[in-house]
Amino acid sequence: MLKIGSHVSLSSKGLLSAANEADTYGSSSFMIYTGAPQNTRRKPIDTLFIEEGKEKMQTMGVEEIVVHAPYIINLGSYKENIYELAVDFLQEEIRRTHQIGVRNIVLHPGAFTDMDAEFGIKRIAEGLEKVLAGVSETDVNIALETMAGKGTEVGRSFEEIAQIIDMVPHNERLTICFDTCHTHDAGYDLINDFDGVLEKFDRLIGLDRLTVMHINDSKNPTGAGKDRHTTLGSGWIGYEALSRIVHHDQLKGRPFILETPWIGKDAKTQRPMYEAEIALLRGDVTGRFGAGFLEDVEKLHHFFEGQHIQARPYILETWEMLKGDAKARKADPREPMERLYDMVIAEGLFTELSEEALNHRLTAYFAGKSILS
């Protein structure tokens, strides 16, 4: 079974809340933080409804989930207080991950800030060795995430990640989380040469270390170094390429985690498109939403063709305009999905559908006509 799921929060009832939310999307895996990603405040592990959450996961058929380390951890910092906090707090998070029963904690390797990449790589490697030595009683792997190359972050190339791993003497528990948006933004051609990308990854790092996949589209072209996620199919990578990645023979058995943004006109009612994205990638939109769903998607194709709009060119042209023309962006900052949503509403189509339901159908529209058959 394809292990695919959503990025969810623990909220009031801990792991049980997370499992319940993931279930609403049809997830067969999911990813959590053990607390807020921007601070060190943590609830006691015995208040996180772990056993109840595991019981819910069992009814869902979820065998494997993933933990993400907080963003405040920076093992690349030259400042001793920040570095020591990163080491100590990551050790605490690994112990909590172990208590939950999860094998992989995803970590952004770190940033070198005022130093240079060589310093950052060495500092991160030293930090990882120190962290792992302090949690030898656990079996948790640290899954270093492939990064986009934004700012001074380390991990923007397979070479940098390989250097970190090679510098850690006891590196058996260092694994990799491959993020599609990040890797695309870092300059790897996931669209036309994903086999070549995997071959290079295997040669430099080893596919045996790849344990988690983050599946996200990108608001920017290859090599932009930006790290801006968008809904599957509504970005530069495109649904077809992302679907090939999810179903690639060499990636079978890994959990695929969606981190696509929440969307909607009102920030208070925004929702992610996880349910539609999961159903599309699983090839089960009819089973999830009913036969009328694809009929609605076909109507969208017919409507936009009447407006002389083709999805892929329209998406890329809109992103180019938003990126390149500050005056036009300020006058109309709407992203491709919102623009198409507004056209449908202005035409008076699908008035019986909620905003979320219409956005689900637009997500399916981005996947192309092949899903209709």
Side-chain angles (χ1 to χ4, degrees):
M1 180 181 181
L2 183 64
K3 296 179 185 176
I4 186 163
S6 43
H7 187 182
V8 295
S9 61
L10 291 182
S11 72
S12 60
K13 289 195 173 181
L15 187 61
L16 178 59
S17 294
N20 282 331
E21 182 186 344
D23 194 28
T24 67
Y25 305 129
S27 303
S28 49
S29 181
F30 57 90
M31 184 173 72
I32 60 171
Y33 294 98
T34 77
Q38 270 88 16
N39 63 53
T40 60
R41 294 191 296 275
R42 291 294 180 267
K43 293 180 180 179
I45 202 75
D46 60 4
T47 67
L48 296 184
F49 294 83
I50 303 302
E51 292 309 314
E52 294 88 342
K54 288 181 177 179
E55 288 177 12
K56 174 63 179 180
M57 287 163 52
Q58 190 170 18
T59 67
M60 296 164 59
V62 172
E63 298 176 355
E64 180 179 8
I65 66 170
V66 180
V67 167
H68 199 303
Y71 302 132
I72 59 171
I73 291 174
N74 183 12
L75 291 175
S77 179
Y78 67 91
K79 297 179 179 179
E80 284 301 322
N81 61 327
I82 295 175
Y83 177 76
E84 290 301 329
L85 170 66
V87 170
D88 294 344
F89 193 45
L90 182 54
Q91 287 178 335
E92 180 186 338
E93 288 292 278
I94 288 173
R95 294 187 189 101
R96 288 166 66 83
T97 300
H98 177 71
Q99 288 178 280
I100 295 170
V102 176
R103 283 298 307 276
N104 286 284
I105 181 168
V106 174
L107 175 72
H108 292 183
F112 56 80
T113 61
D114 296 332
M115 304 300 280
D116 58 25
E118 183 179 357
F119 173 89
I121 289 166
K122 187 171 184 292
R123 185 75 154 168
I124 291 165
E126 290 171 351
L128 289 169
E129 178 67 10
K130 192 172 181 180
V131 168
L132 289 169
V135 290
S136 58
E137 75 281 6
T138 77
D139 61 353
V140 176
N141 300 317
I142 300 174
L144 301 174
E145 186 165 350
T146 58
M147 303 307 290
K150 174 172 49 61
T152 65
E153 63 189 14
V154 178
R156 56 201 164 181
S157 69
F158 298 159
E159 286 85 356
E160 285 190 348
I161 294 174
Q163 286 178 58
I164 292 170
I165 293 171
D166 289 344
M167 287 183 182
V168 178
H170 304 288
N171 60 24
E172 300 84 6
R173 286 164 57 195
L174 292 181
T175 58
I176 302 298
C177 170
F178 188 112
D179 186 296
T180 55
C181 173
H182 294 177
T183 311
H184 162 89
D185 278 27
Y188 292 89
D189 187 357
L190 309 188
I191 304 165
N192 304 301
D193 189 27
F194 185 64
D195 284 340
V197 172
L198 278 188
E199 188 279 327
K200 185 171 186 179
F201 181 96
D202 191 32
R203 175 163 40 85
L204 293 172
I205 299 172
L207 278 171
D208 57 321
R209 289 193 188 268
L210 203 169
T211 55
V212 181
M213 294 290 297
H214 282 175
I215 302 299
N216 309 294
D217 214 327
S218 173
K219 295 181 180 182
N220 289 281
T222 308
K226 296 289 188 180
D227 184 11
R228 297 180 67 217
H229 300 190
T230 190
T231 307
L232 300 193
S234 69
W236 280 84
I237 302 174
Y239 176 81
E240 186 179 329
L242 291 165
S243 181
R244 284 199 303 268
I245 291 170
V246 168
H247 294 283
H248 199 286
D249 284 343
Q250 289 182 281
L251 301 179
K252 284 182 177 176
R254 276 87 166 177
F256 294 87
I257 305 298
L258 293 157
E259 295 180 307
T260 52
W262 291 38
I263 59 174
K265 294 288 189 181
D266 186 344
K268 294 180 181 178
T269 58
Q270 286 181 341
R271 292 275 291 169
M273 292 294 99
Y274 296 153
E275 186 177 8
E277 292 168 324
I278 290 169
L280 284 163
L281 290 170
R282 198 175 275 149
D284 188 32
V285 288
T286 299
R288 187 72 186 180
F289 297 106
F293 184 89
L294 287 181
E295 293 174 6
D296 291 344
V297 175
E298 190 167 13
K299 289 176 185 175
L300 285 174
H301 279 282
H302 181 73
F303 169 65
F304 289 125
E305 284 167 2
Q307 305 297 311
H308 306 290
I309 290 173
Q310 293 181 325
R312 291 303 297 155
Y314 181 84
I315 288 165
L316 302 187
E317 287 166 9
T318 303
W319 286 126
E320 281 283 17
M321 182 275 294
L322 291 172
K323 177 172 68 75
D325 188 336
K327 187 178 291 187
R329 183 169 62 250
K330 185 176 181 180
D332 187 356
R334 291 176 303 160
E335 296 182 355
M337 189 166 189
E338 185 180 1
R339 288 168 184 258
L340 295 180
Y341 175 91
D342 287 344
M343 289 182 202
V344 174
I345 294 300
E347 188 67 17
L349 300 176
F350 307 114
T351 55
E352 75 283 3
L353 294 179
S354 68
E355 182 181 27
E356 180 182 0
L358 178 51
N359 281 329
H360 280 161
R361 285 153 177 80
L362 285 168
T363 301
Y365 165 73
F366 292 145
K369 286 189 173 181
S370 62
I371 69 161
L372 299 176
S373 57

